[in-house]
Amino acid sequence: MLVILIVSLTFYRFDNVWQISISGLLILSIAYQLEKIIRYTIFWPKQVMDYHGNNESQSVSLMVSNVLQTNQNALKLLKLIEKMKPDMLLTVETDDWWEKHMCPIEKDYIHTVKKTLDNLYGMILYSKLELKDAKINYLIEEDIPSIEAQVKLRSGQFIQIYCLHPKPPFPTESDTSTNRDGELLLIGKKIEKDRKPAMVFGDFNDVAWSKSTRLFQKVSQLLDPRVGRGFFNTFHANYALMRWPLDHIFHSSDFKLIQIKRLRSVGSDHFPMYVKLHFEPASSHLDEEPQADRQEDQEANEKIRDANPRKYQHLADPENDMRIIPNP
């Protein structure tokens, strides 16, 4: 739009109404888009503060990679893991082939949670750090898994983690975004209820500035380390001019940021993401935490119910705390 606007301003004489109208509409469109995305540029205050210390016992590094199930270049990913040495690695679109070819890292990543599938929704969590109470959930659909666990930092502090890869609104996947939004918001409500140090990461199949992701942030009160730093576009790896951020790492306000980086291609249609955080309770954010108002809280409940009416038709009384009550 900026290129078209520059061309129009250069060549239009503006002696016709249609030339003025087109240029005016372009300016309005640019302003609308900027309002959506400016938070993810260096012109916006950082939502998560930087950490400059060296206390590794309170730090945790994380790598997220949608490997692309049909991609069979596991060596690229293995070399990248060796270079970055994350404490935790989440791979999605992971089938039996990928599980077999990732075996070499299991000598270092001795804690794993695996659910391999051939439907593009398999996932494996590898961790050097101890995992506690790890389980695989099917929150909305019976063939779409997610992972929930507690990870123990070297200091002994436990952090609640959630790994997600909901189904996108796409002709071959799902007609609407209802199920994806419901899964995100269900996790958001759980985090809101538990109020523990938490991290949520994975391929959300949604951009950071969408209404549903912003609502998830407000409900969960999690922070986004990209705010004030950049887009970190992870998809589509093969098209330089058509990319947006689909792979996300959100965390509670108990962390400061050590490093965030989009990594090099591993042959997938997604770039991997890497984040290193330092646990420092209630001191990491410059801005106020995202906060859902009563109307937004009710909207989240309705979206969860719409995603799976059979399982989540019973909601708490709106006059109470609006928590989700699943069917027995």
Side-chain angles (χ1 to χ4, degrees), residues 62-92:
L62 169 65
M63 183 171 155
V64 176
S65 181
N66 181 320
V67 298
L68 183 61
Q69 187 173 299
T70 56
N71 170 33
Q72 295 197 339
N73 197 340
L75 185 59
K76 276 190 173 183
L77 180 57
L78 291 171
K79 287 182 177 179
L80 190 57
I81 295 167
E82 175 61 27
K83 177 183 177 182
M84 300 306 299
K85 296 179 170 56
D87 295 320
M88 291 188 290
L89 166 69
L90 175 68
T91 60
V92 299

Side-chain angles (χ1 to χ4, degrees), residues 47-49 60 62 153 157-162 188 191-192 194-201 216-217 219-225 249-257 275 277-290:
Q47 192 173 72
V48 180
M49 292 175 60
V60 57
L62 169 65
L153 303 186
Q157 172 69 44
F158 280 96
I159 307 297
Q160 188 70 42
I161 60 172
Y162 300 91
I191 292 170
E192 175 196 35
D194 293 344
R195 303 304 300 161
K196 297 177 181 177
M199 300 168 62
V200 180
F201 47 91
F216 161 77
Q217 256 201 285
V219 168
S220 65
Q221 298 181 32
L222 298 185
L223 305 182
D224 187 345
I249 301 170
F250 294 100
H251 59 80
S252 59
S253 59
D254 305 283
F255 297 90
K256 287 184 176 180
L257 181 69
V275 168
L277 300 168
H278 177 77
F279 181 75
E280 190 170 321
S283 63
S284 65
H285 55 93
L286 295 176
D287 231 339
E288 292 296 320
E289 288 181 336

Side-chain angles (χ1 to χ4, degrees), residues 19 24 26 46 51 63 73 104-105 129 162 164 174 185 187 196 210 234 240 246-247 251 253 276 305 321:
Q19 294 177 339
L26 276 170
K46 295 175 181 177
Y51 176 72
M63 183 171 155
N73 197 340
I105 72 170
L129 304 175
Y162 300 91
L164 303 179
S174 182
L185 292 167
I187 293 298
K196 297 177 181 177
S210 75
T234 57
L246 292 188
D247 302 89
H251 59 80
S253 59
K276 187 172 184 180
R305 183 192 60 201
D321 61 4

Side-chain angles (χ1 to χ4, degrees), residues 140-141 166 174 176-184 306-308:
I140 302 295
E141 300 182 68
S174 182
T176 70
S177 66
T178 301
N179 289 359
R180 178 202 64 193
D181 297 349
E183 184 167 342
L184 294 179
D306 292 344
N308 193 325

Side-chain angles (χ1 to χ4, degrees), residues 124 231-232 269 276 299 323:
I124 301 179
F231 296 110
F232 299 94
D269 52 353
K276 187 172 184 180
E299 181 183 356
R323 292 173 186 169

Side-chain angles (χ1 to χ4, degrees), residues 9 18 32 62 70 100 165 170 275 312:
L9 294 176
W18 67 269
Y32 175 79
L62 169 65
T70 56
K100 176 182 176 182
H165 184 207
F170 193 74
V275 168
Y312 301 111

Side-chain angles (χ1 to χ4, degrees), residues 294-311:
R294 191 166 186 79
Q295 182 177 349
E296 289 168 328
D297 206 34
Q298 179 62 45
E299 181 183 356
N301 281 349
E302 291 171 356
K303 285 180 176 288
I304 295 168
R305 183 192 60 201
D306 292 344
N308 193 325
R310 180 186 60 81
K311 191 173 183 180

